[in-house]
């Protein structure tokens, strides 16, 4: 990656070099430590965070070993002298900020599993978020209220979610996924 700004990258590779990257998030499965080079600022690394049914076959074809994931072993030896990685805001994503990415490639069968292992601390953080959402959903369903009020609450939740999508920049990813789904169905 060279001279990238505001990029969210999810991928598997034998190796990756980030040169002069700014405001980037990389969720990786890489068989060698990520190398940072040049003027990198606010670059965050996390474990690979997606799955699709052909992933294992694609990794084998590319010669990538999913069990040898060096995503967190950052090589900062090639950054300019004078500012530390911490001062440049080069970091490992905190588990509380970690989210999976869904790829709309049809259904996933129950016997499929992701060959790229996610560190347990990230799995635990995802489970905690999922539980909080399910608990909230249950509390809302159990609340005694008229249909009109329930519909009003539904509209507020949808509006807040759309607001979050826009503020977080995730609306672009949703648009990209919708576009991909349209292409795969021929629409």
């Amino acid at each position: 990656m060279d001279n990238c700004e505001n990029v969210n990258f999810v991928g598997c590779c034998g190796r990756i070099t980030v040169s002069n990257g700014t405001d980037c998030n990389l969720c990786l499965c890489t068989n060698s430590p990520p190398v940072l080079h040049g003027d990198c600022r606010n670059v965050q690394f996390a474990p690979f965070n997606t799955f699709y049914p052909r992933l294992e076959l694609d990794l084998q074809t590319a010669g990538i070993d999913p069990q040898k994931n060096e995503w967190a072993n950052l090589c900062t030896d090639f950054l300019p002298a004078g500012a530390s990685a911490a001062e440049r805001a080069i970091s490992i994503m905190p588990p509380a900020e970690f989210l999976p990415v869904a790829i709309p490639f049809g259904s996933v069968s129950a016997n499929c599993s992701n060959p790229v292992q996610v560190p347990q601390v990230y799995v635990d953080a995802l489970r905690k978020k999922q539980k909080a959402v399910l608990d909230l959903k249950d509390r809302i369903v159990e609340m005694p209220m008229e249909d009109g009020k329930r519909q009003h609450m539904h509209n507020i939740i949808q509006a807040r979610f759309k607001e979050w999508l826009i503020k977080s920049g995730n609306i672009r990813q949703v648009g990209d996924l919708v576009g991909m789904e349209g292409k795969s169905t021929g629409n």
Side-chain angles (χ1 to χ4, degrees):
M1 282 179 49
D2 189 27
N3 292 311
C4 291
E5 187 174 336
N6 296 320
V7 170
N8 290 316
F9 177 80
V10 177
C12 298
C13 52
R15 69 176 176 207
I16 188 164
T17 300
V18 180
S19 297
N20 304 311
T22 304
D23 300 326
C24 297
N25 292 314
L26 293 88
C27 297
L28 300 172
C29 174
T30 179
N31 290 162
S32 60
V35 176
L36 290 111
H37 176 266
D39 188 19
C40 293
R41 297 184 183 277
N42 196 27
V43 179
Q44 198 169 54
F45 292 84
F48 185 70
N49 62 348
T50 195
F51 173 75
Y52 58 92
R54 289 183 37 99
L55 177 60
E56 190 165 12
L57 179 62
D58 289 345
L59 290 171
Q60 287 174 353
T61 301
I64 298 169
D65 180 357
Q67 301 305 310
K68 185 178 187 261
N69 193 355
E70 300 285 331
W71 70 272
N73 298 325
L74 308 180
C75 175
T76 58
D77 297 343
F78 303 102
L79 293 174
S84 70
E87 291 169 322
R88 294 176 175 281
I90 295 168
S91 63
I92 301 299
M93 180 181 286
E97 294 177 19
F98 183 73
L99 292 170
V101 172
I103 299 179
F105 288 142
S107 63
V108 176
S109 69
N111 61 354
C112 286
S113 64
N114 194 338
V116 180
Q117 294 296 310
V118 175
Q120 190 61 45
V121 66
Y122 288 87
V123 171
D124 293 345
L126 287 174
R127 285 187 180 138
K128 183 177 178 182
K129 288 178 189 178
Q130 184 179 32
K131 184 180 179 330
V133 169
L134 293 174
D135 289 349
L136 176 60
K137 179 183 172 194
D138 289 345
R139 285 198 325 256
I140 291 171
V141 167
E142 293 169 1
M143 291 175 80
M145 66 177 83
E146 301 165 1
D147 286 343
K149 284 187 179 183
R150 189 171 304 280
Q151 183 61 45
H152 180 68
M153 180 179 284
H154 176 77
N155 292 342
I156 290 172
I157 291 170
Q158 275 192 328
R160 298 286 184 193
F161 180 66
K162 288 177 186 175
E163 184 179 305
W164 172 81
L165 283 173
I166 292 166
K167 284 183 179 178
S168 67
N170 290 323
I171 191 75
R172 188 183 93 208
Q173 294 172 9
V174 171
D176 291 346
L177 289 173
V178 169
M180 288 172 56
E181 182 69 16
K183 288 177 185 174
S184 70
T185 61
N187 293 333

mmCIF file of all heavy atoms in Angstrom, residues 12-62:
data_model
loop_
_atom_site.group_PDB
_atom_site.id
_atom_site.type_symbol
_atom_site.label_atom_id
_atom_site.label_comp_id
_atom_site.label_asym_id
_atom_site.label_seq_id
_atom_site.Cartn_x
_atom_site.Cartn_y
_atom_site.Cartn_z
ATOM 1 N N CYS A 12 -5.640 -11.040 2.920
ATOM 2 C CA CYS A 12 -4.649 -12.061 3.241
ATOM 3 C C CYS A 12 -3.503 -11.907 2.249
ATOM 4 O O CYS A 12 -3.742 -11.673 1.059
ATOM 5 C CB CYS A 12 -5.254 -13.449 3.106
ATOM 6 S SG CYS A 12 -6.616 -13.755 4.236
ATOM 7 N N CYS A 13 -2.277 -12.046 2.743
ATOM 8 C CA CYS A 13 -1.132 -11.868 1.863
ATOM 9 C C CYS A 13 0.096 -12.549 2.448
ATOM 10 O O CYS A 13 0.146 -12.844 3.641
ATOM 11 C CB CYS A 13 -0.856 -10.380 1.654
ATOM 12 S SG CYS A 13 -0.702 -9.430 3.181
ATOM 13 N N GLY A 14 1.061 -12.769 1.593
ATOM 14 C CA GLY A 14 2.332 -13.303 2.057
ATOM 15 C C GLY A 14 3.099 -12.263 2.838
ATOM 16 O O GLY A 14 3.743 -12.561 3.835
ATOM 17 N N ARG A 15 3.015 -11.013 2.372
ATOM 18 C CA ARG A 15 3.644 -9.895 3.076
ATOM 19 C C ARG A 15 2.969 -8.601 2.626
ATOM 20 O O ARG A 15 2.376 -8.532 1.560
ATOM 21 C CB ARG A 15 5.134 -9.848 2.828
ATOM 22 C CG ARG A 15 5.492 -9.472 1.420
ATOM 23 C CD ARG A 15 6.981 -9.347 1.258
ATOM 24 N NE ARG A 15 7.238 -9.081 -0.159
ATOM 25 C CZ ARG A 15 8.337 -9.401 -0.770
ATOM 26 N NH1 ARG A 15 9.306 -9.987 -0.112
ATOM 27 N NH2 ARG A 15 8.504 -9.130 -2.030
ATOM 28 N N ILE A 16 3.101 -7.580 3.470
ATOM 29 C CA ILE A 16 2.534 -6.275 3.136
ATOM 30 C C ILE A 16 3.469 -5.186 3.646
ATOM 31 O O ILE A 16 4.056 -5.295 4.726
ATOM 32 C CB ILE A 16 1.109 -6.086 3.709
ATOM 33 C CG1 ILE A 16 0.475 -4.794 3.177
ATOM 34 C CG2 ILE A 16 1.111 -6.138 5.226
ATOM 35 C CD1 ILE A 16 -1.024 -4.719 3.374
ATOM 36 N N THR A 17 3.621 -4.154 2.816
ATOM 37 C CA THR A 17 4.371 -2.966 3.193
ATOM 38 C C THR A 17 3.425 -1.779 3.079
ATOM 39 O O THR A 17 2.739 -1.621 2.072
ATOM 40 C CB THR A 17 5.583 -2.748 2.269
ATOM 41 O OG1 THR A 17 6.438 -3.890 2.362
ATOM 42 C CG2 THR A 17 6.352 -1.507 2.650
ATOM 43 N N VAL A 18 3.393 -0.977 4.113
ATOM 44 C CA VAL A 18 2.578 0.236 4.119
ATOM 45 C C VAL A 18 3.544 1.407 4.063
ATOM 46 O O VAL A 18 4.340 1.615 4.981
ATOM 47 C CB VAL A 18 1.695 0.323 5.379
ATOM 48 C CG1 VAL A 18 0.860 1.598 5.364
ATOM 49 C CG2 VAL A 18 0.803 -0.905 5.499
ATOM 50 N N SER A 19 3.500 2.150 2.960
ATOM 51 C CA SER A 19 4.375 3.307 2.778
ATOM 52 C C SER A 19 3.547 4.576 2.747
ATOM 53 O O SER A 19 2.610 4.691 1.958
ATOM 54 C CB SER A 19 5.141 3.189 1.457
ATOM 55 O OG SER A 19 5.983 2.076 1.473
ATOM 56 N N ASN A 20 3.879 5.514 3.621
ATOM 57 C CA ASN A 20 3.240 6.831 3.629
ATOM 58 C C ASN A 20 1.723 6.724 3.746
ATOM 59 O O ASN A 20 0.987 7.419 3.058
ATOM 60 C CB ASN A 20 3.623 7.619 2.378
ATOM 61 C CG ASN A 20 5.120 7.755 2.238
ATOM 62 O OD1 ASN A 20 5.812 8.122 3.185
ATOM 63 N ND2 ASN A 20 5.646 7.421 1.070
ATOM 64 N N GLY A 21 1.249 5.837 4.626
ATOM 65 C CA GLY A 21 -0.187 5.674 4.842
ATOM 66 C C GLY A 21 -0.676 6.564 5.962
ATOM 67 O O GLY A 21 0.010 6.765 6.962
ATOM 68 N N THR A 22 -1.878 7.107 5.784
ATOM 69 C CA THR A 22 -2.482 7.988 6.785
ATOM 70 C C THR A 22 -3.926 7.573 7.016
ATOM 71 O O THR A 22 -4.679 7.345 6.062
ATOM 72 C CB THR A 22 -2.457 9.455 6.304
ATOM 73 O OG1 THR A 22 -1.113 9.812 5.992
ATOM 74 C CG2 THR A 22 -2.997 10.391 7.357
ATOM 75 N N ASP A 23 -4.309 7.474 8.286
ATOM 76 C CA ASP A 23 -5.690 7.154 8.672
ATOM 77 C C ASP A 23 -6.174 5.864 8.016
ATOM 78 O O ASP A 23 -7.227 5.827 7.381
ATOM 79 C CB ASP A 23 -6.634 8.314 8.329
ATOM 80 C CG ASP A 23 -6.264 9.594 9.041
ATOM 81 O OD1 ASP A 23 -5.785 9.510 10.183
ATOM 82 O OD2 ASP A 23 -6.444 10.679 8.465
ATOM 83 N N CYS A 24 -5.403 4.801 8.189
ATOM 84 C CA CYS A 24 -5.728 3.508 7.576
ATOM 85 C C CYS A 24 -5.935 2.440 8.644
ATOM 86 O O CYS A 24 -5.265 2.437 9.668
ATOM 87 C CB CYS A 24 -4.601 3.058 6.644
ATOM 88 S SG CYS A 24 -4.330 4.160 5.254
ATOM 89 N N ASN A 25 -6.866 1.535 8.378
ATOM 90 C CA ASN A 25 -7.088 0.356 9.202
ATOM 91 C C ASN A 25 -6.836 -0.866 8.343
ATOM 92 O O ASN A 25 -7.393 -0.972 7.248
ATOM 93 C CB ASN A 25 -8.522 0.314 9.735
ATOM 94 C CG ASN A 25 -8.795 1.410 10.731
ATOM 95 O OD1 ASN A 25 -8.005 1.653 11.623
ATOM 96 N ND2 ASN A 25 -9.921 2.086 10.566
ATOM 97 N N LEU A 26 -6.020 -1.789 8.837
ATOM 98 C CA LEU A 26 -5.702 -3.003 8.098
ATOM 99 C C LEU A 26 -6.057 -4.213 8.952
ATOM 100 O O LEU A 26 -5.532 -4.363 10.055
ATOM 101 C CB LEU A 26 -4.221 -3.055 7.733
ATOM 102 C CG LEU A 26 -3.752 -2.015 6.723
ATOM 103 C CD1 LEU A 26 -3.339 -0.736 7.416
ATOM 104 C CD2 LEU A 26 -2.607 -2.564 5.920
ATOM 105 N N CYS A 27 -6.950 -5.059 8.458
ATOM 106 C CA CYS A 27 -7.317 -6.307 9.114
ATOM 107 C C CYS A 27 -6.689 -7.415 8.282
ATOM 108 O O CYS A 27 -7.110 -7.661 7.151
ATOM 109 C CB CYS A 27 -8.828 -6.454 9.184
ATOM 110 S SG CYS A 27 -9.603 -5.165 10.181
ATOM 111 N N LEU A 28 -5.677 -8.060 8.840
ATOM 112 C CA LEU A 28 -4.792 -8.886 8.028
ATOM 113 C C LEU A 28 -4.636 -10.328 8.493
ATOM 114 O O LEU A 28 -4.701 -10.626 9.677
ATOM 115 C CB LEU A 28 -3.379 -8.288 8.044
ATOM 116 C CG LEU A 28 -3.174 -6.884 7.532
ATOM 117 C CD1 LEU A 28 -1.759 -6.424 7.826
ATOM 118 C CD2 LEU A 28 -3.467 -6.816 6.045
ATOM 119 N N CYS A 29 -4.349 -11.157 7.506
ATOM 120 C CA CYS A 29 -3.689 -12.434 7.694
ATOM 121 C C CYS A 29 -2.471 -12.336 6.795
ATOM 122 O O CYS A 29 -2.596 -12.318 5.565
ATOM 123 C CB CYS A 29 -4.573 -13.607 7.280
ATOM 124 S SG CYS A 29 -3.673 -15.174 7.355
ATOM 125 N N THR A 30 -1.306 -12.191 7.376
ATOM 126 C CA THR A 30 -0.078 -12.053 6.609
ATOM 127 C C THR A 30 0.984 -12.986 7.180
ATOM 128 O O THR A 30 1.123 -13.088 8.392
ATOM 129 C CB THR A 30 0.420 -10.589 6.575
ATOM 130 O OG1 THR A 30 1.630 -10.517 5.833
ATOM 131 C CG2 THR A 30 0.609 -10.005 7.951
ATOM 132 N N ASN A 31 1.696 -13.658 6.285
ATOM 133 C CA ASN A 31 2.686 -14.644 6.721
ATOM 134 C C ASN A 31 4.020 -14.038 7.118
ATOM 135 O O ASN A 31 4.930 -14.759 7.539
ATOM 136 C CB ASN A 31 2.902 -15.703 5.645
ATOM 137 C CG ASN A 31 1.689 -16.618 5.480
ATOM 138 O OD1 ASN A 31 1.551 -17.282 4.485
ATOM 139 N ND2 ASN A 31 0.793 -16.665 6.460
ATOM 140 N N SER A 32 4.163 -12.730 6.998
ATOM 141 C CA SER A 32 5.358 -12.056 7.489
ATOM 142 C C SER A 32 4.925 -10.758 8.164
ATOM 143 O O SER A 32 3.844 -10.238 7.888
ATOM 144 C CB SER A 32 6.339 -11.788 6.340
ATOM 145 O OG SER A 32 5.748 -10.981 5.361
ATOM 146 N N PRO A 33 5.741 -10.237 9.062
ATOM 147 C CA PRO A 33 5.349 -9.018 9.776
ATOM 148 C C PRO A 33 5.063 -7.851 8.814
ATOM 149 O O PRO A 33 5.802 -7.648 7.848
ATOM 150 C CB PRO A 33 6.567 -8.711 10.652
ATOM 151 C CG PRO A 33 7.226 -10.028 10.842
ATOM 152 C CD PRO A 33 7.025 -10.756 9.536
ATOM 153 N N PRO A 34 3.996 -7.094 9.055
ATOM 154 C CA PRO A 34 3.734 -5.906 8.250
ATOM 155 C C PRO A 34 4.884 -4.911 8.398
ATOM 156 O O PRO A 34 5.348 -4.648 9.512
ATOM 157 C CB PRO A 34 2.447 -5.327 8.838
ATOM 158 C CG PRO A 34 1.812 -6.477 9.561
ATOM 159 C CD PRO A 34 2.942 -7.323 10.046
ATOM 160 N N VAL A 35 5.337 -4.361 7.288
ATOM 161 C CA VAL A 35 6.438 -3.406 7.285
ATOM 162 C C VAL A 35 5.858 -2.009 7.072
ATOM 163 O O VAL A 35 5.091 -1.779 6.138
ATOM 164 C CB VAL A 35 7.456 -3.730 6.164
ATOM 165 C CG1 VAL A 35 8.541 -2.667 6.103
ATOM 166 C CG2 VAL A 35 8.050 -5.117 6.378
ATOM 167 N N LEU A 36 6.235 -1.084 7.949
ATOM 168 C CA LEU A 36 5.829 0.315 7.797
ATOM 169 C C LEU A 36 7.032 1.100 7.318
ATOM 170 O O LEU A 36 8.142 0.938 7.832
ATOM 171 C CB LEU A 36 5.304 0.866 9.111
ATOM 172 C CG LEU A 36 3.952 0.240 9.468
ATOM 173 C CD1 LEU A 36 4.097 -0.657 10.653
ATOM 174 C CD2 LEU A 36 2.918 1.292 9.672
ATOM 175 N N HIS A 37 6.775 1.961 6.337
ATOM 176 C CA HIS A 37 7.861 2.675 5.670
ATOM 177 C C HIS A 37 7.404 4.097 5.389
ATOM 178 O O HIS A 37 6.256 4.344 5.040
ATOM 179 C CB HIS A 37 8.162 1.937 4.353
ATOM 180 C CG HIS A 37 9.181 2.602 3.508
ATOM 181 N ND1 HIS A 37 8.837 3.480 2.509
ATOM 182 C CD2 HIS A 37 10.537 2.521 3.501
ATOM 183 C CE1 HIS A 37 9.938 3.910 1.926
ATOM 184 N NE2 HIS A 37 10.976 3.345 2.510
ATOM 185 N N GLY A 38 8.308 5.038 5.516
ATOM 186 C CA GLY A 38 7.983 6.428 5.169
ATOM 187 C C GLY A 38 7.164 7.106 6.252
ATOM 188 O O GLY A 38 7.222 6.745 7.423
ATOM 189 N N ASP A 39 6.384 8.082 5.854
ATOM 190 C CA ASP A 39 5.615 8.907 6.789
ATOM 191 C C ASP A 39 4.238 8.292 7.023
ATOM 192 O O ASP A 39 3.239 8.720 6.434
ATOM 193 C CB ASP A 39 5.495 10.331 6.246
ATOM 194 C CG ASP A 39 4.882 11.276 7.267
ATOM 195 O OD1 ASP A 39 4.888 10.943 8.473
ATOM 196 O OD2 ASP A 39 4.383 12.342 6.858
ATOM 197 N N CYS A 40 4.166 7.298 7.868
ATOM 198 C CA CYS A 40 2.901 6.651 8.217
ATOM 199 C C CYS A 40 2.346 7.285 9.488
ATOM 200 O O CYS A 40 3.077 7.481 10.455
ATOM 201 C CB CYS A 40 3.107 5.154 8.435
ATOM 202 S SG CYS A 40 3.551 4.247 6.952
ATOM 203 N N ARG A 41 1.051 7.595 9.466
ATOM 204 C CA ARG A 41 0.401 8.217 10.628
ATOM 205 C C ARG A 41 -1.008 7.667 10.792
ATOM 206 O O ARG A 41 -1.732 7.516 9.817
ATOM 207 C CB ARG A 41 0.337 9.730 10.475
ATOM 208 C CG ARG A 41 1.721 10.357 10.408
ATOM 209 C CD ARG A 41 1.660 11.877 10.353
ATOM 210 N NE ARG A 41 2.997 12.404 10.225
ATOM 211 C CZ ARG A 41 3.820 12.594 11.234
ATOM 212 N NH1 ARG A 41 3.441 12.297 12.453
ATOM 213 N NH2 ARG A 41 5.031 13.076 11.039
ATOM 214 N N ASN A 42 -1.353 7.398 12.049
ATOM 215 C CA ASN A 42 -2.673 6.879 12.388
ATOM 216 C C ASN A 42 -3.015 5.631 11.565
ATOM 217 O O ASN A 42 -4.017 5.591 10.862
ATOM 218 C CB ASN A 42 -3.752 7.951 12.234
ATOM 219 C CG ASN A 42 -5.031 7.564 12.947
ATOM 220 O OD1 ASN A 42 -5.005 6.814 13.918
ATOM 221 N ND2 ASN A 42 -6.143 8.050 12.452
ATOM 222 N N VAL A 43 -2.150 4.646 11.667
ATOM 223 C CA VAL A 43 -2.353 3.370 10.991
ATOM 224 C C VAL A 43 -2.593 2.322 12.074
ATOM 225 O O VAL A 43 -1.815 2.200 13.013
ATOM 226 C CB VAL A 43 -1.142 2.981 10.117
ATOM 227 C CG1 VAL A 43 -1.368 1.642 9.442
ATOM 228 C CG2 VAL A 43 -0.875 4.067 9.076
ATOM 229 N N GLN A 44 -3.705 1.597 11.912
ATOM 230 C CA GLN A 44 -4.099 0.629 12.933
ATOM 231 C C GLN A 44 -4.192 -0.767 12.312
ATOM 232 O O GLN A 44 -4.689 -0.922 11.195
ATOM 233 C CB GLN A 44 -5.450 1.042 13.513
ATOM 234 C CG GLN A 44 -5.791 0.415 14.821
ATOM 235 C CD GLN A 44 -6.996 1.081 15.454
ATOM 236 O OE1 GLN A 44 -8.045 1.189 14.843
ATOM 237 N NE2 GLN A 44 -6.836 1.525 16.691
ATOM 238 N N PHE A 45 -3.726 -1.769 13.063
ATOM 239 C CA PHE A 45 -3.710 -3.149 12.586
ATOM 240 C C PHE A 45 -4.612 -4.012 13.453
ATOM 241 O O PHE A 45 -4.689 -3.822 14.666
ATOM 242 C CB PHE A 45 -2.284 -3.705 12.612
ATOM 243 C CG PHE A 45 -1.388 -3.045 11.612
ATOM 244 C CD1 PHE A 45 -0.747 -1.854 11.909
ATOM 245 C CD2 PHE A 45 -1.188 -3.608 10.365
ATOM 246 C CE1 PHE A 45 0.073 -1.228 10.985
ATOM 247 C CE2 PHE A 45 -0.378 -3.000 9.426
ATOM 248 C CZ PHE A 45 0.257 -1.809 9.735
ATOM 249 N N ALA A 46 -5.281 -4.975 12.809
ATOM 250 C CA ALA A 46 -6.166 -5.899 13.503
ATOM 251 C C ALA A 46 -6.109 -7.249 12.797
ATOM 252 O O ALA A 46 -5.639 -7.345 11.660
ATOM 253 C CB ALA A 46 -7.595 -5.358 13.500
ATOM 254 N N PRO A 47 -6.607 -8.289 13.458
ATOM 255 C CA PRO A 47 -6.621 -9.586 12.787
ATOM 256 C C PRO A 47 -7.640 -9.606 11.648
ATOM 257 O O PRO A 47 -8.599 -8.836 11.641
ATOM 258 C CB PRO A 47 -7.019 -10.555 13.903
ATOM 259 C CG PRO A 47 -7.688 -9.731 14.933
ATOM 260 C CD PRO A 47 -7.113 -8.356 14.824
ATOM 261 N N PHE A 48 -7.407 -10.480 10.694
ATOM 262 C CA PHE A 48 -8.319 -10.698 9.566
ATOM 263 C C PHE A 48 -9.722 -10.926 10.118
ATOM 264 O O PHE A 48 -9.913 -11.697 11.054
ATOM 265 C CB PHE A 48 -7.819 -11.908 8.771
ATOM 266 C CG PHE A 48 -8.580 -12.185 7.519
ATOM 267 C CD1 PHE A 48 -8.489 -11.331 6.432
ATOM 268 C CD2 PHE A 48 -9.366 -13.319 7.412
ATOM 269 C CE1 PHE A 48 -9.169 -11.601 5.261
ATOM 270 C CE2 PHE A 48 -10.054 -13.599 6.245
ATOM 271 C CZ PHE A 48 -9.956 -12.742 5.160
ATOM 272 N N ASN A 49 -10.716 -10.274 9.522
ATOM 273 C CA ASN A 49 -12.042 -10.246 10.147
ATOM 274 C C ASN A 49 -13.201 -10.606 9.221
ATOM 275 O O ASN A 49 -14.297 -10.069 9.353
ATOM 276 C CB ASN A 49 -12.289 -8.865 10.747
ATOM 277 C CG ASN A 49 -12.297 -7.772 9.694
ATOM 278 O OD1 ASN A 49 -11.904 -7.981 8.557
ATOM 279 N ND2 ASN A 49 -12.747 -6.593 10.073
ATOM 280 N N THR A 50 -12.959 -11.515 8.294
ATOM 281 C CA THR A 50 -14.066 -11.911 7.430
ATOM 282 C C THR A 50 -13.944 -13.376 7.056
ATOM 283 O O THR A 50 -12.951 -14.032 7.383
ATOM 284 C CB THR A 50 -14.152 -11.023 6.176
ATOM 285 O OG1 THR A 50 -15.426 -11.225 5.557
ATOM 286 C CG2 THR A 50 -13.045 -11.324 5.190
ATOM 287 N N PHE A 51 -14.948 -13.864 6.383
ATOM 288 C CA PHE A 51 -14.977 -15.261 5.947
ATOM 289 C C PHE A 51 -15.922 -15.396 4.763
ATOM 290 O O PHE A 51 -16.921 -14.690 4.685
ATOM 291 C CB PHE A 51 -15.461 -16.170 7.088
ATOM 292 C CG PHE A 51 -15.662 -17.588 6.661
ATOM 293 C CD1 PHE A 51 -14.580 -18.424 6.447
ATOM 294 C CD2 PHE A 51 -16.934 -18.080 6.436
ATOM 295 C CE1 PHE A 51 -14.757 -19.732 6.031
ATOM 296 C CE2 PHE A 51 -17.115 -19.386 6.027
ATOM 297 C CZ PHE A 51 -16.026 -20.208 5.823
ATOM 298 N N TYR A 52 -15.586 -16.277 3.866
ATOM 299 C CA TYR A 52 -16.489 -16.674 2.788
ATOM 300 C C TYR A 52 -16.186 -18.129 2.463
ATOM 301 O O TYR A 52 -15.102 -18.635 2.792
ATOM 302 C CB TYR A 52 -16.358 -15.752 1.572
ATOM 303 C CG TYR A 52 -14.970 -15.673 0.982
ATOM 304 C CD1 TYR A 52 -14.581 -16.520 -0.048
ATOM 305 C CD2 TYR A 52 -14.051 -14.756 1.458
ATOM 306 C CE1 TYR A 52 -13.305 -16.456 -0.586
ATOM 307 C CE2 TYR A 52 -12.774 -14.681 0.926
ATOM 308 C CZ TYR A 52 -12.411 -15.529 -0.093
ATOM 309 O OH TYR A 52 -11.159 -15.468 -0.627
ATOM 310 N N PRO A 53 -17.106 -18.841 1.849
ATOM 311 C CA PRO A 53 -16.950 -20.291 1.684
ATOM 312 C C PRO A 53 -15.679 -20.742 0.953
ATOM 313 O O PRO A 53 -15.136 -21.784 1.279
ATOM 314 C CB PRO A 53 -18.197 -20.698 0.899
ATOM 315 C CG PRO A 53 -19.209 -19.663 1.255
ATOM 316 C CD PRO A 53 -18.431 -18.386 1.430
ATOM 317 N N ARG A 54 -15.170 -19.991 0.002
ATOM 318 C CA ARG A 54 -13.981 -20.398 -0.755
ATOM 319 C C ARG A 54 -12.669 -19.896 -0.149
ATOM 320 O O ARG A 54 -11.614 -20.057 -0.751
ATOM 321 C CB ARG A 54 -14.069 -19.874 -2.190
ATOM 322 C CG ARG A 54 -15.099 -20.548 -3.055
ATOM 323 C CD ARG A 54 -15.059 -19.998 -4.487
ATOM 324 N NE ARG A 54 -13.717 -19.696 -4.958
ATOM 325 C CZ ARG A 54 -12.987 -20.486 -5.737
ATOM 326 N NH1 ARG A 54 -13.466 -21.616 -6.148
ATOM 327 N NH2 ARG A 54 -11.778 -20.118 -6.130
ATOM 328 N N LEU A 55 -12.713 -19.315 1.027
ATOM 329 C CA LEU A 55 -11.513 -18.706 1.607
ATOM 330 C C LEU A 55 -10.365 -19.704 1.733
ATOM 331 O O LEU A 55 -9.241 -19.410 1.325
ATOM 332 C CB LEU A 55 -11.832 -18.074 2.964
ATOM 333 C CG LEU A 55 -10.642 -17.455 3.709
ATOM 334 C CD1 LEU A 55 -10.011 -16.337 2.895
ATOM 335 C CD2 LEU A 55 -11.084 -16.948 5.070
ATOM 336 N N GLU A 56 -10.638 -20.872 2.269
ATOM 337 C CA GLU A 56 -9.556 -21.845 2.463
ATOM 338 C C GLU A 56 -8.917 -22.233 1.136
ATOM 339 O O GLU A 56 -7.685 -22.283 1.020
ATOM 340 C CB GLU A 56 -10.074 -23.089 3.186
ATOM 341 C CG GLU A 56 -8.966 -24.014 3.620
ATOM 342 C CD GLU A 56 -9.431 -25.039 4.630
ATOM 343 O OE1 GLU A 56 -10.640 -25.205 4.842
ATOM 344 O OE2 GLU A 56 -8.545 -25.679 5.219
ATOM 345 N N LEU A 57 -9.721 -22.462 0.121
ATOM 346 C CA LEU A 57 -9.192 -22.800 -1.205
ATOM 347 C C LEU A 57 -8.386 -21.637 -1.782
ATOM 348 O O LEU A 57 -7.298 -21.837 -2.340
ATOM 349 C CB LEU A 57 -10.335 -23.174 -2.153
ATOM 350 C CG LEU A 57 -9.939 -23.519 -3.587
ATOM 351 C CD1 LEU A 57 -9.026 -24.742 -3.634
ATOM 352 C CD2 LEU A 57 -11.186 -23.764 -4.422
ATOM 353 N N ASP A 58 -8.888 -20.418 -1.628
ATOM 354 C CA ASP A 58 -8.166 -19.243 -2.128
ATOM 355 C C ASP A 58 -6.821 -19.067 -1.417
ATOM 356 O O ASP A 58 -5.823 -18.714 -2.050
ATOM 357 C CB ASP A 58 -9.017 -17.978 -1.979
ATOM 358 C CG ASP A 58 -10.197 -17.943 -2.938
ATOM 359 O OD1 ASP A 58 -10.217 -18.727 -3.910
ATOM 360 O OD2 ASP A 58 -11.113 -17.122 -2.714
ATOM 361 N N LEU A 59 -6.782 -19.318 -0.119
ATOM 362 C CA LEU A 59 -5.521 -19.222 0.626
ATOM 363 C C LEU A 59 -4.522 -20.273 0.143
ATOM 364 O O LEU A 59 -3.339 -19.976 -0.040
ATOM 365 C CB LEU A 59 -5.776 -19.379 2.126
ATOM 366 C CG LEU A 59 -6.514 -18.237 2.815
ATOM 367 C CD1 LEU A 59 -6.885 -18.619 4.241
ATOM 368 C CD2 LEU A 59 -5.718 -16.957 2.786
ATOM 369 N N GLN A 60 -5.004 -21.502 -0.074
ATOM 370 C CA GLN A 60 -4.117 -22.558 -0.580
ATOM 371 C C GLN A 60 -3.564 -22.194 -1.948
ATOM 372 O O GLN A 60 -2.371 -22.343 -2.205
ATOM 373 C CB GLN A 60 -4.872 -23.895 -0.664
ATOM 374 C CG GLN A 60 -5.141 -24.517 0.674
ATOM 375 C CD GLN A 60 -6.022 -25.763 0.561
ATOM 376 O OE1 GLN A 60 -6.533 -26.101 -0.501
ATOM 377 N NE2 GLN A 60 -6.212 -26.431 1.683
ATOM 378 N N THR A 61 -4.425 -21.698 -2.833
ATOM 379 C CA THR A 61 -4.013 -21.317 -4.182
ATOM 380 C C THR A 61 -2.952 -20.213 -4.134
ATOM 381 O O THR A 61 -1.992 -20.224 -4.913
ATOM 382 C CB THR A 61 -5.232 -20.847 -5.002
ATOM 383 O OG1 THR A 61 -6.179 -21.917 -5.053
ATOM 384 C CG2 THR A 61 -4.836 -20.449 -6.405
ATOM 385 N N ALA A 62 -3.114 -19.274 -3.214
ATOM 386 C CA ALA A 62 -2.174 -18.154 -3.089
ATOM 387 C C ALA A 62 -0.918 -18.521 -2.298
ATOM 388 O O ALA A 62 0.017 -17.719 -2.215
ATOM 389 C CB ALA A 62 -2.872 -16.966 -2.432
#
